[in-house]
């Protein structure tokens, strides 16, 4: 439950300017704070003076995050920047600082058990496929989000949807299983396009024609963008699964709609309701699932699952980039 990658910890609205918020992910108590210039930072939660939790009563100053107990202040890198009752700071103590990216209204935290810095990036939502480049999307906030806590959903369950074509019939009620039209894999991304219905039965990808398709773009195993062209315009969903500890996770949904001038009042809510319906259907399965290794696979799905599990292996602690590990993801 401790894979490497970028994992969502909230949205831009989660941490207001000058705000301090307690978090717990990857078995660690953390504190998120937004400095006076507007940048979000995350540190381990406990002050290295006498162990107070900075998330409860801590406040943001020009020097960083000030402890509520004795006023010791810590900067974004976790260094002691001020002690109010002496001129000299404590250079021997430091709080662990976590890499954070705020992109597309979402806050992402980098996690790596080996302590390596980020070695891949979080893309802009409009960069995940050519069809979205230059497109204007409505902001997801405040109403285009969903958040499910206390889940027992391993990130591996979610990423395997990238090759699980047959679940669409039984979980989401499609008339037939889709066909994978395109699949492009790099060290840290898995990009595929699936076509639904008879018009795609020949399995031939036709760039520029995305009717009745879904584009899935995984970046590591922490999150994926799903993009669909509908009669009401494009819609994009971000699904993120973030471990809280070795047993539980939080699952986030973020939803963007193509901005269509002249759309009727109330149309946004209808479009959001349609796209937000799918994730709870999946969660009903994932939250009660166990992991089988090896699974019993049908002939039509075996190659896809085996290829994806080899790819996900590189994101587990024992592996570096480009290496697979045994166990989950192997």
């Amino acid at each position: 439950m401790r894979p490497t990658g970028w994992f969502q910890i909230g949205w831009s609205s989660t941490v207001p300017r000058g705000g301090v918020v307690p978090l717990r992910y990857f078995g660690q108590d953390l504190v998120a704070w937004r400095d006076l210039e507007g940048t979000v930072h995350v540190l381990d939660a406990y002050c290295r003076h006498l162990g107070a939790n900075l998330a409860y009563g801590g406040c943001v100053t020009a020097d960083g995050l000030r402890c509520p107990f004795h006023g010791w202040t810590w900067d974004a890198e976790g260094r002691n920047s001020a002690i109010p009752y002496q001129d000299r700071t404590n250079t021997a103590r430091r709080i662990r600082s976590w890499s954070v990216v705020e992109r597309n209204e979402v806050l992402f935290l980098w996690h790596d058990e080996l302590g390596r810095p980020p070695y891949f990036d979080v893309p802009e939502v409009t960069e995940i496929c050519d069809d979205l480049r230059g497109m204007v999307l409505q902001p997801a906030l405040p109403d285009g989000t969903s958040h499910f806590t206390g889940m027992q959903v391993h990130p591996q369950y979610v990423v395997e949807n990238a090759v699980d074509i047959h679940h669409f019939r039984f979980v989401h009620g499609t008339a037939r299983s889709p066909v994978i039209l395109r699949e492009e894999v790099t060290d840290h991304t898995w990009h595929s396009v699936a076509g639904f219905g008879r018009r795609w039965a020949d399995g031939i990808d036709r760039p520029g024609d995305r009717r009745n398709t879904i584009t899935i773009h995984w970046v590591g195993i922490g999150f994926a963008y799903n993009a669909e062209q509908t009669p009401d315009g494009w819609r994009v969903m971000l699904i993120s699964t973030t471990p809280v500890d070795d047993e539980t996770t939080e699952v986030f949904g973020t939803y963007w709609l193509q901005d269509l001038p002249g759309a009727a009042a109330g149309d946004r809510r209808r479009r959001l309701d349609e796209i937000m319906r799918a994730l709870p259907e999946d969660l009903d399965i994932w939250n009660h699932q166990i992991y089988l290794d090896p699974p019993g696979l049908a002939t039509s799905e075996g190659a896809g699952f085996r290829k994806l599990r080899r790819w996900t292996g590189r994101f587990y602690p024992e592996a570096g980039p480009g290496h697979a590990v045994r166990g989950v993801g192997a």
Side-chain angles (χ1 to χ4, degrees):
M1 201 65 112
R2 301 191 181 211
T4 293
W6 291 103
F7 296 86
Q8 185 172 349
I9 58 172
W11 294 275
S12 296
S13 57
T14 301
V15 188
R17 187 183 294 261
V20 181
V21 178
L23 302 173
R24 183 171 176 80
Y25 293 109
F26 299 101
Q28 303 291 320
D29 290 320
L30 308 173
V31 56
W33 53 286
R34 191 182 293 272
D35 65 30
L36 300 181
E37 286 71 45
T39 302
V40 174
H41 311 282
V42 174
L43 301 173
D44 280 359
Y46 298 104
C47 179
R48 301 300 292 165
H49 173 215
L50 285 172
N53 192 318
L54 298 166
Y56 295 91
C59 66
V60 177
T61 72
D63 294 322
L65 181 59
R66 188 171 67 197
C67 178
F69 200 6
H70 296 88
W72 287 38
T73 303
W74 306 87
D75 67 14
E77 284 71 45
R79 297 172 299 206
N80 180 222
S81 56
I83 299 174
Y85 42 88
Q86 71 175 35
D87 294 334
R88 188 178 66 255
T89 61
N90 187 320
T91 59
R93 291 300 183 104
R94 189 164 178 171
I95 303 174
R96 179 171 54 171
S97 174
W98 298 65
S99 295
V100 179
V101 167
E102 183 171 9
R103 190 151 296 148
N104 308 319
E105 309 173 82
V106 176
L107 300 176
F108 295 94
L109 180 80
W110 174 261
H111 173 265
D112 182 77
E113 283 288 293
L114 303 180
R116 296 169 296 183
Y119 55 84
F120 56 89
D121 298 323
V122 177
E124 295 287 345
V125 63
T126 53
E127 294 176 351
I128 64 169
C129 63
D130 291 340
D131 304 278
L132 296 179
R133 294 186 186 277
M135 185 176 296
V136 177
L137 301 175
Q138 296 176 357
L141 298 173
D143 55 342
T145 65
S146 56
H147 186 196
F148 305 87
T149 61
M151 307 301 292
Q152 293 183 312
V153 177
H154 196 290
Q156 185 73 25
Y157 300 166
V158 188
V159 71
E160 292 191 358
N161 255 20
V163 293
D164 187 4
I165 58 175
H166 298 302
H167 91 281
F168 285 96
R169 290 177 57 197
F170 302 99
V171 178
H172 304 303
T174 62
R176 56 195 299 172
S177 299
V179 175
I180 299 298
L181 305 173
R182 176 184 296 184
E183 192 171 81
E184 300 166 351
V185 182
T186 71
D187 280 348
H188 60 272
T189 63
W190 184 289
H191 181 94
S192 62
V193 179
F196 293 81
R198 295 183 182 278
R199 68 190 311 272
W200 298 107
D202 57 9
I204 298 174
D205 185 29
R206 297 185 281 277
D209 182 359
R210 285 294 174 255
R211 291 173 295 169
N212 299 327
T213 70
I214 181 170
T215 298
I216 303 173
H217 188 84
W218 279 94
V219 183
I221 64 173
F223 69 93
Y225 294 102
N226 296 348
E228 299 176 80
Q229 184 181 29
T230 75
D232 291 324
W234 280 86
R235 60 190 191 186
V236 183
M237 173 172 60
L238 170 66
I239 301 177
S240 305
T241 310
T242 305
V244 173
D245 50 39
D246 288 337
E247 300 294 332
T248 59
T249 55
E250 294 182 7
V251 179
F252 300 84
T254 309
Y255 310 89
W256 294 273
L257 303 174
Q258 184 179 1
D259 192 23
L260 300 175
D267 186 59
R268 172 179 169 81
R269 184 68 262 166
R270 176 185 61 80
R271 294 166 69 195
L272 282 175
D273 288 344
E274 290 177 356
I275 191 175
M276 295 172 77
R277 191 175 302 133
L279 182 54
E281 294 172 340
D282 286 313
L283 286 171
D284 285 343
I285 303 295
W286 295 331
N287 201 39
H288 303 281
Q289 187 175 349
I290 63 169
Y291 190 79
L292 296 180
D293 185 23
L297 297 169
T299 303
S300 62
E301 61 193 358
F305 271 89
R306 286 189 291 271
K307 180 180 178 181
L308 185 130
R309 289 191 175 191
R310 287 193 298 270
W311 178 77
T312 59
R314 71 194 65 205
F315 302 109
Y316 289 93
E318 296 86 350
H323 295 81
V325 297
R326 295 185 60 82
V328 173

